[in-house]
Amino acid sequence: MDRKIKVVMAKLGLDIHWRGVYLVSQFMKEAGMDVVYLGNKFPTEIVEAAIEEDADVVGLSSLSGNHLALGPIVVDMLREKGLDRVKVFMGGVMPPDHAKRLEKEYGVQKVFLPDTPMQEIIDGINAAVNNTH
Amino acid sequence: MKIEKKELVDELIERSLKGEKLSISRLISMVERSDEYAPYIMEKISPHAGKAYYIGVTGPPGAGKSTTVDRLISMFCKNNLSVGVIAVDPSSPFSGGSLLGDRVRMNVKSEKMDVFIRSMSSGRVMGGLARTSKEAARILDACGKQIIIIETVGVGQSELDIAEATDTVVVILTPESGDSIQIMKAGLMEIADIFVINKADRPGAEDISTSIRGMLKRSLRKRDWDPQIFMTSASISKGIDELYAGIWSHYDHLDENSRLEQRRKRQLRQELHTRIENEFAKILWDMVHKKDIEQVVNDAWLRRADPQNTAQQFVWSSLRDSGLWPQKQ
Ligand code: B12
Ligand SMILES: Nc1nc2c(ncn2[C@@H]2O[C@H](COP(=O)(O)OP(=O)(O)O)[C@@H](O)[C@H]2O)c(=O)[nH]1
Ligand SMILES: [Mg+2]
């Protein structure tokens, strides 16, 4: 693929933790991606942004427990709007079995838990996007 | 295969002109990525453009451009106008990637607001806009947005492209922008139709307003419009009503004596000039590219010839060699 990957990144809902999402966004930029950072946003706004930005990837950061409540809504709304090719990645703090459920039952491409090396995240995104092009 | 794609593009254009967001977004991407169909898209789209009012917002990073744009979006929507926003942020010169943060400040509060916001990275372009910002703006215009707002990178050095792309230029400064020399150096005095001193909740707003007023008075340039100065605190929505009215008063000014037409024609002339020059250069380079520039560099180096004469000789001998020009004048 000869074009840059476009990512829409958000802190899910009212989550106040910013260090993880900021670090990941910086690394994506250094890896040559265009990252549109939304700050704190709810599913409707996140999906609207994904449409307007023609995003390849939506990234959601959740460290304060709203991952199961809001994550799946984002995936569903994207599919409803016809954005089937958009991959959703999540990261943050949650029980590992929740992460598995988000991946297996709710259509999240991959959840990255704390202490994941940055390169692993970048590689994961590159692989997932390049698979569909 | 080719035909299939053309049909796809035609359908995208048709849907876009009806205002369908997903299609508009795809079209902008294709143009942004210099798709082979980009010229075709612009050809089909352009006849529908030209109806919107284009507003440029520029000023140093952190001055409050995005916050102000957010407030203006609300004002326009409240008055039942649809808004398209192009927000440009810088790219990393190393990776080519970018972190575009303008949307953090922009919030669409209700479903009734007809808004389309698109972020763009500046790439290697220095003028404050991205290579295809104008095209993206034209697409939003053609697809029915009545107000187009373009927010520049805001590095404060060479932000002058915005004056060539919009009808009204709003320059946003803060009490911290202080030094009037900085403002002059950036050429902002020349391009501003409206000055905003944002963060007027902080000390020093009056001072900078006074110094701008002084600079405008001393400026020798003949103007048919006196740039207005507004004090705002965008983050607490103070002074926005006045700014909004000020923007419309500049529009009213443009609306008289076909000034808008003159301004847009001037911009068009400038744009065509640049594009024609680029096209010429491309064609000529293609014709002479067999000639090795390294050899000329070396030549000039050894002979200590000056670059201006070397360049001239290079062009003339290339033209003669390629048969484009008679051997003897
Ligand atoms: C610092 C911190 C805070 C700071 C945040 C400031 C800041 N700098 O962001 C402050 C003090 C403000 C804070 C507040 C709170 N915190 Co706190 N906080 C932490 C702490 C100690 C570290 C978080 C951090 O910065 N990690 C470093 C970064 C780099 O790691 P990361 O964010 O996990 O990111 C990595 C991955 O998760 C992933 N990633 C993250 N996001 C994304 C997104 C994408 C798209 C991708 C691909 C990857 C990805 O990539 C990163 C690299 O590996 C954690 C403890 C912990 N061990 O995580 C608690 C922790 C997250 N907080 C916790 C809680 C409960 C809170 C509060 C609710 C406390 C309260 N009662 O008020 C509030 C939150 C209020 C709110 N509305 O959000 C709990 C969450 C429990 C849970 N989810 O079940 C934790 C786990 C502490 C605990 N053990 O109880 N917190
Ligand atoms: N004190 C104060 N802060 C403001 C005001 N307007 C914006 N800000 C803050 O200034 C910072 C930069 O704003 P932003 O709109 O992103 O600036 P931009 O880089 O010019 O687009 C943000 O933290 C805003 O909240 C204002 O009127 N007063
Ligand atoms: Mg901004």
Side-chain angles (χ1 to χ4, degrees):
Chain A
M1 199 178 65
D2 61 342
R3 64 174 182 80
K4 292 189 276 179
I5 294 175
K6 193 152 185 186
V7 189
V8 162
M9 282 286 261
K11 291 192 289 184
L12 200 45
L14 298 173
D15 203 311
I16 206 166
H17 303 89
W18 54 263
R19 210 180 291 158
V21 72
Y22 183 74
L23 268 176
V24 174
S25 300
Q26 281 292 346
F27 265 85
M28 288 170 162
K29 167 184 166 182
E30 298 312 326
M33 302 178 188
D34 277 332
V35 183
V36 180
Y37 180 56
L38 303 183
N40 282 104
K41 293 276 151 50
F42 280 91
T44 319
E45 297 166 284
I46 295 170
V47 171
E48 217 38 39
I51 293 174
E52 293 172 0
E53 300 291 351
D54 196 12
D56 304 298
V57 172
V58 167
L60 307 171
S61 188
S62 167
L63 282 81
S64 49
N66 62 16
H67 50 277
L68 275 183
L70 297 180
I73 298 181
V74 174
V75 180
D76 286 349
M77 287 180 72
L78 284 171
R79 302 298 175 254
E80 241 168 65
K81 298 272 187 182
L83 293 168
D84 300 285
R85 66 177 192 95
V86 177
K87 304 277 189 280
V88 179
F89 286 87
M90 290 181 75
V93 179
M94 66 184 80
D97 62 306
H98 285 190
K100 279 275 150 320
R101 280 180 62 197
L102 283 167
E103 292 168 2
K104 297 253 146 62
E105 295 170 33
Y106 293 109
V108 173
Q109 182 77 23
K110 179 90 186 131
V111 179
F112 293 104
L113 296 175
D115 301 324
T116 312
M118 284 300 160
Q119 197 55 46
E120 196 178 317
I121 296 176
I122 301 295
D123 292 345
I125 291 172
N126 272 324
V129 174
N130 286 326
N131 250 337
T132 48
H133 284 278
Chain B
M1 187 62 194
K2 262 266 161 57
I3 291 163
E4 250 173 57
K5 182 162 177 190
K6 179 163 178 297
E7 276 166 9
L8 219 97
V9 173
D10 280 332
E11 194 182 324
L12 273 183
I13 293 171
E14 201 186 307
R15 285 164 180 254
S16 295
L17 291 173
K18 284 185 191 139
E20 199 202 88
K21 278 191 156 183
L22 207 51
S23 303
I24 297 173
S25 183
R26 290 274 151 78
L27 280 190
I28 295 177
S29 299
M30 290 176 83
V31 170
E32 202 175 13
R33 289 167 190 149
S34 304
D35 186 277
E36 53 175 333
Y37 274 92
Y40 178 76
I41 291 168
M42 291 319 295
E43 187 189 334
K44 291 282 170 198
I45 283 286
S46 293
H48 302 273
K51 293 176 293 237
Y53 172 30
Y54 287 65
I55 300 163
V57 177
T58 189
K65 296 184 292 298
S66 300
T67 313
T68 304
V69 170
D70 177 70
R71 300 304 190 264
L72 290 175
I73 293 173
S74 294
M75 293 295 287
F76 285 116
C77 287
K78 226 192 288 170
N79 290 284
N80 292 317
L81 291 161
S82 56
V83 186
V85 179
I86 305 291
V88 191
D89 261 343
S91 310
S92 155
F94 305 108
S95 69
S98 62
L99 186 41
L100 314 168
D102 294 322
R103 283 191 94 110
V104 175
R105 313 272 164 235
M106 299 182 195
N107 297 290
V108 176
K109 287 113 197 154
S110 111
E111 300 237 337
K112 269 181 261 145
M113 291 169 66
D114 184 352
V115 183
F116 193 115
I117 303 168
R118 179 71 171 224
S119 315
M120 295 183 116
S121 59
S122 64
R124 263 184 290 236
V125 180
M126 289 309 293
L129 299 183
R131 190 176 47 83
T132 51
S133 296
K134 267 195 215 175
E135 280 84 346
R138 264 174 210 156
I139 291 174
L140 291 179
D141 172 358
C143 298
K145 296 292 174 271
Q146 295 160 298
I147 306 292
I148 304 289
I149 305 179
I150 305 181
E151 180 185 333
T152 73
V153 171
V155 284
Q157 281 298 326
S158 52
E159 296 291 283
L160 310 185
D161 279 2
I162 194 72
E164 293 300 324
T166 54
D167 305 320
T168 298
V169 175
V170 179
V171 171
I172 303 192
L173 302 165
T174 63
E176 290 80 22
S177 306
D179 200 340
S180 49
I181 302 198
Q182 288 303 331
I183 303 169
M184 301 237 278
K185 256 206 315 220
L188 294 175
M189 296 307 289
E190 301 302 318
I191 61 166
D193 300 303
I194 290 173
F195 281 100
V196 172
I197 319 297
N198 189 41
K199 309 199 186 184
D201 45 298
R202 296 190 185 162
E206 270 308 333
D207 295 347
I208 183 159
S209 151
T210 309
S211 95
I212 290 171
R213 209 161 276 130
M215 273 191 281
L216 286 172
K217 223 176 254 149
R218 270 176 272 124
S219 151
L220 296 174
R221 211 181 111 207
K222 252 184 59 198
R223 310 168 190 273
D224 57 5
W225 164 260
D226 287 323
Q228 300 181 359
I229 306 174
F230 294 93
M231 307 272 204
T232 62
S233 290
S235 53
I236 48 170
S237 296
K238 257 182 95 174
I240 300 295
D241 288 347
E242 291 81 357
L243 171 60
Y244 182 76
I247 289 174
W248 279 118
S249 78
H250 186 247
Y251 180 83
D252 291 341
H253 167 78
L254 291 172
D255 210 24
E256 286 166 20
N257 303 328
S258 61
R259 290 193 187 99
L260 185 62
E261 189 184 318
Q262 282 168 33
R263 181 166 176 139
R264 287 186 175 182
K265 259 196 185 148
R266 192 199 70 213
Q267 295 171 342
L268 190 60
R269 188 177 302 120
Q270 181 65 43
E271 184 177 348
L272 282 172
H273 194 279
T274 311
R275 285 187 189 279
I276 289 171
E277 220 168 73
N278 290 345
E279 203 62 32
F280 268 132
K282 220 165 59 196
I283 291 173
L284 289 177
W285 271 116
D286 279 351
M287 286 182 159
V288 305
H289 84 281
K290 286 149 264 165
K291 235 181 148 87
D292 189 7
I293 182 119
E294 274 316 308
Q295 194 189 317
V296 185
V297 173
N298 215 28
D299 251 27
W301 174 252
L302 291 174
R303 293 191 293 123
R304 297 187 194 282
D306 77 296
Q308 191 184 349
N309 282 301
T310 310
Q312 248 170 29
Q313 282 160 21
F314 174 78
V315 169
W316 283 111
S317 75
S318 301
L319 283 174
R320 291 200 186 97
D321 289 357
S322 68
L324 272 175
W325 207 262
Q327 290 295 329
K328 276 233 158 11
Q329 287 134 302

